[in-house]
Amino acid sequence: MRKRLLALLVAAAAVPAAAPAVAQDKTVNLKVSLWVPPAHPLVPATQAWAADIEKASGGTIKLTVFPSEQLGKAFDHYDMARDGIADITYVNPGYSSGRFPIAAAGQLPFTFSDGKKGTLALNEWYKKYALSEMKDTKLCFAFIHDPGGLHGKKKILVPGDLSGMKVRPAQSTIGEMVRMFGGTNVQTSAAEAREAIERGTADEITFPWGSIFLFGIDKAVKYHMDVPLYSTVFTYNINLAKYNAMSDAQKKVIDDHCTPEWASRVTDPWTDFEANGRVKMKALEGHEVYPLTADQLAEWKKAVKPLRDSWAEAVKKAGGDADKIDADLQAALRKFEAGI
C-alpha cells in the first residue's frame, strides 16, 4: 500500500500545474500601439506588462509593442483599437474634442494633485462610465500623468497673460481654456511640439515636466509655471472582436492585467519620471521655474470655473447626469487623497 501511495504521489508531482490558459487554446497575437518614443518610460513598462500576459497565458497570448506612431498617428489611436488596425492602443481621449465628454472631467484644470493617487482615483471613477462612453472598444485601464504645467517663451502669471498667445494644449479642455483667455490653439502631437515652438507656430505649451526633456522642448522654452495646472486622461483600449474571440481562460488573463493595480505598475515609472523632471528643471541654468502667489492661484481657479460648467453642459447633451458623475469623481478623489 505504501509503495502504491508513493507511486501515486510521484505521478501527481510529474503532472504540470494547470496554466490559466490551457494548452489547447489557439495562439493569439496582439499588436500594441504606443505613440511615444522607445525612450519614454511607458514603453518598457508596457513591454513588461506584455511579457507577464504571455507568461500567465502559458504562451498563448503574444504581444508585440510598437512605439513611435509606427501603426498610426496619436490622434487616431482610439479608432485604431475600434477598427482593429491595432489590438491594444494608448489613447488620449482629449485629442478628440467633444467625443468623450465624461472622461473630460479628469482633464479639468486643478483636478489632480498627484499622478499615482490620481490614477487610482481615475480608474475607480471611470471604469463604469467607459462601458457606455467607450462601448465600441474594451477599456483595459485608465491613468493620468503627473500633473503638468505651462512652459514657454514668456512668463505667464495670470490668465490674462495668455491673451494673444499661441499655445499648444495638452488636451481639448486646456484648449478651451486657452480660447477662453484670448489665446490661439496650435494643434500638434507631442512628438511635433518642439518644432512648432522653434518655428514660432506656438509660443507656449502645456506639458508634463519630464517629457519636456524627453521631446527636447527644453531647448525651445525658458519659463515654467510651477503649479499642478492639469493632468491628461489616458486609456489602454482593446479591440472588442479580438478580445471576444479569445477563450474564457485567455480573457481572464487579459482581465487580470486590466486592473487598477496593473495601471499603477505600468504608469508609476512614468509618474516618477515626470516628477523628477520638475526637480531637474529647477536646477537647469537658463530656465526660470516660477511659483504663483496665493492671489494669482486664486485668480486662475476662479477663471477656469466656466470650464466645469461647460463640461457639465456637454455631459447633459450626451445624456449623462453631470451632477452624479462629478459627485462620483469627487468621492474617488477624496478616497485616494488625490485632489487639490
Side-chain angles (χ1 to χ4, degrees):
M1 179 64 71
R2 290 178 61 189
K3 289 183 178 180
R4 183 180 179 185
L5 179 59
L6 180 62
L8 289 172
L9 291 172
V10 171
V15 177
V22 294
Q24 61 264 32
D25 283 337
K26 294 181 180 179
T27 299
V28 176
N29 294 294
L30 302 178
K31 294 178 290 185
V32 183
S33 184
L34 309 178
W35 38 266
V36 290
H40 193 287
L42 201 57
V43 177
T46 301
Q47 290 169 334
W49 174 74
D52 202 83
I53 290 175
E54 181 170 348
K55 179 181 177 181
S57 71
T60 68
I61 305 176
K62 300 182 182 297
L63 300 89
T64 304
V65 177
F66 296 87
S68 300
E69 298 186 316
Q70 292 181 60
L71 301 183
K73 292 293 185 181
F75 296 100
D76 298 327
H77 268 56
Y78 182 82
D79 291 339
M80 287 164 57
R82 181 195 64 190
D83 299 337
I85 296 171
D87 303 302
I88 302 174
T89 64
Y90 167 45
V91 176
N92 178 345
Y95 277 164
S96 302
S97 180
R99 189 174 183 182
F100 304 104
I102 296 176
Q107 308 201 145
L108 291 166
F110 309 109
T111 296
F112 296 103
S113 61
D114 178 272
K116 294 181 180 181
K117 295 176 182 177
T119 288
L120 294 173
L122 179 66
N123 269 283
E124 175 147 319
W125 166 70
Y126 190 58
K127 61 185 178 182
K128 65 179 179 181
Y129 293 112
L131 295 174
S132 58
E133 187 160 80
M134 295 185 169
K135 62 184 178 182
D136 44 9
T137 67
K138 173 181 171 60
L139 176 72
C140 182
F141 49 66
F143 55 98
I144 60 168
H145 60 63
D146 202 58
L150 183 67
H151 316 267
K153 299 177 179 179
K154 178 183 175 183
K155 196 171 182 178
I156 305 295
L157 294 172
V158 294
D161 290 341
L162 286 177
S163 179
M165 303 299 289
K166 296 172 289 186
V167 183
R168 183 270 182 187
Q171 27 92 339
S172 56
T173 305
I174 296 299
E176 187 178 348
M177 182 192 79
V178 170
R179 288 191 299 272
M180 189 169 66
F181 297 150
T184 301
N185 283 303
V186 178
Q187 296 295 340
T188 181
S189 70
E192 300 164 335
R194 175 183 175 179
E195 184 179 2
I197 296 174
E198 289 180 334
R199 288 185 173 184
T201 306
D203 305 309
E204 305 284 326
I205 182 171
T206 53
F207 222 66
W209 291 87
S211 291
I212 286 284
F213 295 98
L214 180 63
F215 289 92
I217 299 169
D218 59 299
K219 306 296 192 300
V221 296
K222 178 180 179 179
Y223 297 101
H224 313 270
M225 183 192 292
D226 188 9
V227 64
L229 174 63
Y230 79 99
S231 290
T232 299
V233 171
F234 298 102
T235 57
Y236 272 22
N237 295 71
I238 303 174
N239 176 263
L240 275 177
K242 203 63 172 273
Y243 175 80
N244 289 334
M246 295 182 188
S247 70
D248 289 343
Q250 289 172 326
K251 288 178 182 176
K252 185 178 187 305
V253 171
I254 295 296
D255 293 344
D256 287 346
H257 286 78
C258 288
T259 62
E261 291 75 22
W262 268 106
S264 294
R265 290 176 66 175
V266 171
T267 64
D268 278 359
W270 183 17
T271 297
D272 292 336
F273 169 79
E274 300 295 1
N276 289 335
R278 178 173 168 271
V279 177
K280 181 178 178 180
M281 191 67 77
K282 284 189 170 185
L284 194 64
E285 290 186 7
H287 289 259
E288 183 178 348
V289 178
Y290 60 94
L292 297 180
T293 67
D295 288 343
Q296 288 167 343
L297 182 58
E299 184 175 345
W300 277 96
K301 288 185 175 182
K302 181 179 179 181
V304 300
K305 186 181 181 302
L307 293 175
R308 184 167 295 278
D309 298 335
S310 178
W311 167 81
E313 185 61 30
V315 169
K316 290 174 183 177
K317 285 183 179 179
D321 184 342
D323 291 338
K324 175 65 165 59
I325 292 168
D326 182 56
D328 287 348
L329 175 57
Q330 298 307 316
L333 291 171
R334 288 192 298 271
K335 176 179 178 179
F336 293 97
E337 301 180 337
I340 295 177

